[in-house]
Amino acid sequence: MAAAAAAAAVGGSQPPQPEVPAPGLALDKAATAAHLKAALSRPDNRAGAEELQALLERVLSAERPLAAAADGDEAAAAGGGGSPGAAEEEALEWCKCLLAGGGGYEEFCAAVRAYDPAALCGLVWTANFVAYRCRTCGISPCMSLCAECFHQGDHTGHDFNMFRSQAGGACDCGDSNVMRESGFCKRHQIKSSSNIPCVPKDLLMMSEFVLPRFIFCLIQYLREGYNEPADVPSEKDLNKVLQLLEPQISFLEDLTKMGGAMRSVLTQVLTNQQNYKDLTSGLGENACAKKSHEKYLIALKSSGLTYPEDKLVYGIQEPSAGTSTLAVQGFAGATGTLGQLDSSDEEDQDGSQGLGKRKRVKLSSNTKDQSIMDVLKHKSFLEELLFWTIKYEFPQKMVTFLLNMLPDQEYKVAFTKTFVQHYAFIMKTLKKSHESDTMSNRIVHISVQLFSNEELARQVTEECQLLDIMVTVLLYMMESCLIKSELQDEENSLHVVVNCGEALLKNNTYWPLVSDFINILSHQSVAKRFLEDHGLLVTWMNFVSFFQGMNLNKRELNEHVEFESQTYYAAFAAELEACAQPMWGLLSHCKVRETQEYTRNVVRYCLEALQDWFDAINFVDEPAPNQVTFHLPLHRYYAMFLSKAVKCQELDLDSVLPDQEMLMKLMIHPLQIQASLAEIHSNMWVRNGLQIKGQAMTYVQSHFCNSMIDPDIYLLQVCASRLDPDYFISSVFERFKVVDLLTMASQHQNTVLDAEHERSMLEGALTFLVILLSLRLHLGMSDDEILRAEMVAQLCMNDRTHSSLLDLIPENPNPKSGIIPGSYSFESVLSAVADFKAPVFEPGGSMQQGMYTPKAEVWDQEFDPVMVILRTVYRRDVQSAMDRYTAFLKQSGKFPGNPWPPYKKRTPLHPSYKGLMRLLHCKTLHIVLFTLLYKILMDHQNLSEHVLCMVLYLIELGLENSAEEESDEEASVCGPERCHDSWFPGSNLVSNMRHFINYVRVRVPETAPEVKRDSPASTSSDSLGSLQNSGTAQVFSLVAERRKKFQEIINRSSSEANQVVRPKTSNKWSAPGSAPQLTTAILEIKESILSLLIKLHHKLSGKQNSYYPPWLDDIEILIQPEIPKYSHGDGITAVERILLKAALQSRMNKRIIEEICRKVTPPVPPKKITAAEKKTLDKEERRQKARERQQKLLAEFASRQKSFMETAMDVDSPENDIPMEITTAEPQVSEAVYDCVICGQSGPSSEDRPTGLVVLLQASSVLGQCRDNMEPKKLPISEEEQIYPWDTCAAVHDVRLSLLQRYFKDSSCLLAVSIGWEGGVYVQTCGHTLHIDCHKSYMESLRNDQVLQGFSVDKGEFTCPLCRQFANSVLPCYPGNNVEHNLWQRPSNRNLQDLIKEVEELQGRPGAFPVSISSETNLSKEMESVMKDIKNTTQKKYRDYSKTPGSPDNDFLFMYSVARTNLELELIHRGGNLCSGGASTAGKRSCLNQLFHVLALHMRLYSIDSEYNPWRKLTQLVGEMNSQLGNEEQQPEVPILYHDVTSLLLVQILMMPQPLRKDHFSCIVKVLFTLLYTQALAALSVKCNEEDRSAWTHTGALKKNMCDAEKSYEVLLSFVISELSKGKLYHEEGTQECGMVSPIAWSPESMEKYLQDFCLPFLRITSLLQHHLFGEDLPSCQEEEEFSVLSSCLGLLPTFYQTEHPFISASCLDWPVPAFDIISQWCFEINSFTERHAEQGKALLIPESRWKLPHLLQLPENYNTIFQYYHRKTCSVCTKVPKDPAVCLVCGTFVCLKGLCCKQQSYCECVLHSQNCGAGTGIFLLINASVIIIIRGHRFCLWGSVYLDAHGEEDRDLRRGKPLYICKERYKVLEQQWISHTFDHINKRWGPHYNGL
């Protein structure tokens, strides 16, 4: 058959069909299909069926494609030379035809869709898809919705967020198992099945026949394609096969999208076992099928799976009911015989015992439960399809197909069961996979859809033993990476732990399995089964014990470790994910009393596992030194279940606690961790590298703390409450290695700790005790109280944003636990404890987020230093909290000094833990406190304020938690006979406080001062001494105490005391080497705790007898003790508070305090004081010297900085009109003096050593962005809205220039306009000057400096040496003589005509210059180089507008346009008008004066031919007018009325020799104003219609002979109209012109307004220029009087002008020649042009519109509108959706960030766009990140976001996905920085973009 097919294929590309005469045509396919359908519809359809089978057999032959894939030659044969894909396409065509049964395939699809009962959405997406999650509507935490369903549902006010899918997912809309129905969208709200008609039988009949063959064919392809070589098949081969199969799988996927009807057919096909058996058994005579079956068997074998026919196996296929006997049998009883499945009870018992022994070896393979791990039997297509999906490592297409089917309920169940059946196989494949990350994501993509559904999970748990399988698979997975534990007893340890360095843990490969396990444990019904099943619990504890003690750290004692291992990441992640999260999942189901049994089960097996662990590591009572592991999951399981039992289930704590010996063992390792934390912070582990600090920080970090440090501390609290307090306290000090420090002697020998670590270890021990005794997290606080305490602690450290608070507050890691972040309680607690600070801007431009800060009453009453210490990852945060607390107290006037941490009242203890308080009332602790108080008082070394603070805190805790008040009688009994060990009589702190201790025997080194003294004389005859026992106190050894206690307990619990081990353990501690001899000395003490406290008070306050009992003055105090006065303060306050509390607790104490105070206190031994005093005196002296040195330095620096401050912060002091513009009021100053900020010298700028201004040159297109309408442009957010740039200023100017260049002489065109609207060069300065030679050496030093700078020195960039502002050039200062300056300014009375002549002569003189160009001075060189810089700042296209490239006219135009650009921009910075007047800040730091000199110098190099100088045309009447027209072929010059007057002004001024005289300036302005006014009249005449014109001509003509006719606009207007009427300008006003005609009737007022508005831009620029050149202030004024004020300021208004009658602009005119003559001369030029081009002539007369200020695009309120439109928008170049889309905020262009598709000559699109749109400055909004990025030239920076969430926070990268709203203030700041060109100065973090953005 196969051969025949191949032969046939050579001839044509499909085999001929006998039934169909003409093969290959679509028509015939259709006919065949119709014929077959008819045949099958008959009642007896056997023949039809056979015929169809035969056809399918041929069409879907599996041989062809794989031959093609495998081998080139065969492919050529098989495909008949055609492409190998042709055959498959053909087969697909056939299938489509057959399915449709002869009709059209599209119609068929539509027909099937009509029967879709779509109750579920089920849209499947892959990674990176944007989806939504609504916590308000979700039942399962994994619930997700596609954007469409989300937006169509109603989620207003819900807690939702948008997220980018990591692993892929599916839309749950319509699935009431996963989400509440209220959240369904409109499409899926309708309940299905009722209104959907029944599917007609014949519609899908063909599908039922065709699809089994099709799927079988697909399976055959998969079997064929999988070649299992000896090694793992390369991904390339697999991908090749998958590419070939792409069309087939896509076809299946399309079928699933046809809706419910088709899905149910597919379900039938996929799950039908008979079909599968018939087709795939490989039993027929068909060779091909046989071969395929063999391949399948080989694949099974090589996967380590058996095909169940091989041997008799029980197991998964027929799941046994009842408990999971499998798991127990697999791990405990049987050794490999699979026969004994019926395990009995006793075997179960034996199992749990045997467990400990067996697991110490590497588990041998035969203990695996084989039925779970190794057996697979496929009974349907679905099962085999899943098998191949796994084998091919979850190809995306297959996954999508399998998931698309899920809306079909029957399929869902079948598929879930199949998935569970393959679970072990999935794990094996995952372990081998190279791409385990991708594969993990795909697995979870599937499993999360199946296991989030409680009903389904329950069903699979019951029917398929889901829990057994999961636990077994996890265990099996971890077993592959076990190593021997080195904890405790390295040689003999039998414990195995996971090796954190293995890829399995390092890459989190176990993540999918654990995630599934956590997911199913979140379902109550499943968790219940788990907690009831003893076998499972045993197995699970076994699993957890693999992590117990992993990643052991050994302290390096000699040299620094060579290689810092980073395995701790893996260890912490593994404990959190594999142990803690399942634990939280289980705990969430143990909330009520009825669940007590579960807790008992867990606790029982947990303790068993712990006992096994202690045995395995051979642990007795001493932990091995210098080792620590942070991972004790078994301890933590035990602790958390205990806590839950007491808190929620009302279990009696003692019923679940083990014996004392076990408790002693339990406390050792957690205590070891606490001590190690202190060691790590004391830098004792510094040789282990940074990673050990990392571990200590992770252990307390917010995501880990409640699974790590909190359970540890809780467990220690439980142990402490049940163990002997003296034993516990001595263990603590021993673990912290500070036992030897606790001696009365002033010197001691510490055998286990270096002296430099003693202090911090002692602080650590005391702090730990304080935390242990005052923390109530698990001892009685409610959830809300805990939340509040956590929140207060975080807010006290720093103000926090809402999201960082959510992140920092340790939430219960299991999502179903109740406190969901963002839940109601979170928000309500937050509003109770914190105030919101709205986002603000600092002047430096750094942007603040919205922050929460603690309310005053929180600082006052709730600040809890203990909680802060517990929760700080960095030690500096504790300091930060204290600083903030101090600031609050100062500010509110509660306490001025440096306060101590306040003592905070605790919530009451839960009765079960009352025993904890015994720690405060045990002698051991009291002896320690007494010793420490004494040592502090005596100034022994290594004690700190922190130690004292903690000692007092402990005493206060003891007083607060004392037993009921003792009666005084009992106290008096306490005579000598009670005092058996002569330290303290009893154990109550209240009575022990007053107990006097006279003598103490101490062991001291022989060198100690105590030894030399004589033994004390016993003359203690004072009244108090006689009360006490005068015997000396014993040497008190903590260690001995602890040993003794331990011995007692052991003896009590077991008959043989474990004496053998004792010597071994104690040896460990004696340090080797020379310990000096200790001798015994007896110290006289004669103090009690009370007397020590009172003396401390004196010491702290620095005064003798400073303490006076307050109750002697005010007896009230004793009755009502809660006095706010004592709640905040320093050590003195703390002592007073304690004494008051002691007095309150007992009258004896009160009396003794009074007695002590009465007795004058003897001074403390003087010797000590002198040393300390000497120290302080030395300190003072040193401080004084340092102060003097500092003063000197500061004075120097201040003078340096003064100049900077003046320029930077407009300080209005009289002498600070910056050096550049020396004030004009002082004629005696002869020359401008400049300070060089590098060498610090002052002096004038000379030609040999010129000084320069630090400037930043940048190209700018801001001016070109001005538009003429007020309505701001909006950012397009739909296809309809687009932005067209033709109404921008730049576009209008471009059009005008090209129009002029079309008709007029090029060189004259280039004088008639300005350029620089786009890409103009803007010059700005910080105002600092430096010598140009100093600057050169500064640049050299920057070049050699290897530090990475944010700028490129090669491009000439640097930062100002004084103020660090960014700059890139130096503008030389012109050596100016100020006396002249004053002469120039005197108003002269010479008449206009003389001045006009002078101006003309001066312009004609080339280089009439104080500095002749020929002699190259340094100054002129610098001027040339800065001109070069200015040219290079902008691109060539923005400089060259001439038709002849490189013509000098170009440079000429460019140079005066630079001046124009800078003036125009300054005008914009002032708000577009000069109403505000004043010297304005811009003027302060302006460099226009210097810039003008440089430009003028260069302009003078190009003399304008006097023939062409416009000055002539303006001021003289040319003789014969026809001369111009004589020459026809040459293009005419631009008519003077078409010239831009402002450009003319700049040309005229820059052509004059500098410095310019004021009267010349005024003369030029006056002349130009006449031209401007005439232009205004001409424009007005064009604007109005014919009737208006004739009326005006008439009225004007009447007044022509008045005396001041030349100053009357009516006369001039009528004259202009009559002159222009001679040409064709007004003709051809046909209908098309109606648009131009303004409908308004012109009144004299509106005409006057028009004329003024026309002239204002020119007046503004001119006034600014005058202000800069001559240093005159600008007057401020109202907007309506701007014209008159500016014209008088410029000297256009005659001085005698009266202001009474309304102001008329024409009165400013001052005609140099008779007005009518010159006007007619100007009009003549226009007429001669309009002869030929009337249209253009008119367009050129009407000038550009009034430009409004430039703005960025207006953004929508809600970010989502932008995101939804742009994140799916396709790139115009490659039509794909870009990975990082961005949009330009200046012009709205959509660009791809970093997109390679749009790259042009190595420039990516954003960089390119920034050059075209902003001449190098681009502002882009990154759509997927919501942030704005600025490109400036070759650098870029992230600016921040202008969209903030409801809490005033940015959401960079949309990680949180909360709704974002525009922050108008931020957007304004962005716009301001753009307009003022200050991006470079304000934003600090710049980096190069290498054209890659």
Side-chain angles (χ1 to χ4, degrees), residues 92 96 105 109 113 122-126 211 214-215 218 245-259 262-263 266 395-405 445:
L92 273 181
K96 285 182 180 171
Y105 183 62
C109 294
R113 272 205 194 92
L123 173 76
V124 175
W125 57 75
T126 53
L211 288 175
F214 182 77
I215 287 172
L218 177 66
L245 293 181
E246 182 92 0
Q248 272 86 331
I249 302 173
S250 300
F251 172 61
L252 282 176
E253 208 181 318
D254 293 340
L255 290 180
T256 61
K257 289 184 181 153
M258 277 186 210
M262 184 55 95
R263 284 198 204 111
L266 273 166
Q396 187 66 68
K397 277 276 188 199
M398 288 294 290
V399 172
T400 316
F401 162 62
L402 292 170
L403 287 176
N404 270 336
M405 287 290 298
H445 187 181

Side-chain angles (χ1 to χ4, degrees), residues 83-344:
S83 68
E88 283 99 334
E89 275 173 42
E90 183 59 27
L92 273 181
E93 283 307 308
W94 264 108
C95 284
K96 285 182 180 171
C97 256
L98 290 170
L99 288 187
Y105 183 62
E106 292 302 318
E107 293 85 74
F108 169 68
C109 294
V112 178
R113 272 205 194 92
Y115 296 100
D116 177 24
L120 297 175
C121 173
L123 173 76
V124 175
W125 57 75
T126 53
N128 263 335
F129 182 87
V130 174
Y132 287 81
R133 174 163 293 144
C134 176
R135 289 179 196 76
T136 320
C137 298
I139 296 172
S140 154
C142 312
M143 169 274 215
S144 46
L145 293 171
C146 62
E148 199 179 344
C149 287
F150 178 79
H151 289 303
Q152 292 202 353
D154 178 22
H155 297 275
T156 39
H158 289 191
D159 175 21
F160 64 84
N161 67 313
M162 179 172 81
F163 65 97
R164 262 183 195 285
S165 177
Q166 279 189 323
C171 178
D172 292 317
C173 191
D175 184 350
S176 52
N177 280 315
V178 186
M179 63 179 287
R180 297 187 175 80
E181 300 188 7
S182 54
F184 293 172
C185 74
K186 298 191 180 61
R187 287 180 309 168
H188 302 118
Q189 268 166 356
I190 347 143
K191 276 283 154 276
S192 57
S193 73
S194 50
N195 45 10
I196 299 280
C198 200
V199 189
K201 186 172 181 307
D202 64 334
L203 180 63
L204 293 172
M205 180 180 62
M206 291 295 279
S207 313
E208 290 168 19
F209 281 101
V210 177
L211 288 175
R213 287 303 304 216
F214 182 77
I215 287 172
F216 174 52
C217 168
L218 177 66
I219 284 180
Q220 279 184 308
Y221 283 159
L222 288 166
R223 288 174 173 184
E224 280 294 303
Y226 194 86
N227 289 317
E228 182 90 45
D231 58 330
V232 181
S234 65
E235 273 115 89
K236 228 168 50 205
D237 299 344
L238 294 184
N239 287 343
K240 219 175 187 173
V241 179
L242 290 171
Q243 265 166 344
L244 278 173
L245 293 181
E246 182 92 0
Q248 272 86 331
I249 302 173
S250 300
F251 172 61
L252 282 176
E253 208 181 318
D254 293 340
L255 290 180
T256 61
K257 289 184 181 153
M258 277 186 210
M262 184 55 95
R263 284 198 204 111
S264 58
V265 172
L266 273 166
T267 305
Q268 286 312 312
V269 171
L270 288 169
T271 53
N272 185 325
Q273 301 195 358
Q274 195 51 46
N275 260 341
Y276 178 75
K277 212 168 180 174
D278 296 348
L279 281 167
T280 63
S281 54
L283 300 174
E285 67 292 340
N286 185 335
C288 159
K290 261 208 178 83
K291 193 168 138 204
S292 155
H293 190 66
E294 276 160 26
K295 286 210 87 152
Y296 161 65
L297 291 176
I298 291 169
L300 268 182
K301 254 208 181 65
S302 66
S303 311
L305 302 169
T306 49
Y307 190 65
E309 259 78 328
D310 295 1
K311 52 171 136 72
L312 179 69
V313 165
Y314 315 84
I316 256 179
Q317 298 87 315
E318 293 83 29
S320 54
T323 53
S324 64
T325 46
L326 291 174
V328 179
Q329 168 262 323
F331 280 98
T335 42
T337 44
L338 277 165
Q340 329 165 316
L341 259 182
D342 47 340
S343 106
S344 61

Side-chain angles (χ1 to χ4, degrees), residues 1261-1273 1287-1289 1463-1474 1660 1679 1745-1753 1786 1868 1871-1872 1874-1876:
S1261 296
V1262 172
L1263 283 173
Q1265 289 301 331
C1266 299
R1267 299 174 185 271
D1268 57 353
N1269 58 347
M1270 284 304 284
E1271 190 55 35
K1273 283 276 188 267
D1287 60 344
T1288 59
C1289 175
L1463 286 166
E1464 293 276 4
L1465 278 169
E1466 185 179 331
L1467 190 58
I1468 282 183
H1469 297 164
R1470 288 167 178 269
N1473 58 32
L1474 296 181
R1660 286 178 185 141
E1679 256 181 77
S1745 16
R1746 307 278 143 265
W1747 301 115
K1748 303 294 179 287
L1749 295 178
H1751 287 293
L1752 294 176
L1753 297 175
V1786 178
K1868 193 138 248 98
E1871 186 173 83
Q1872 204 37 56
W1874 170 62
I1875 291 174
S1876 58

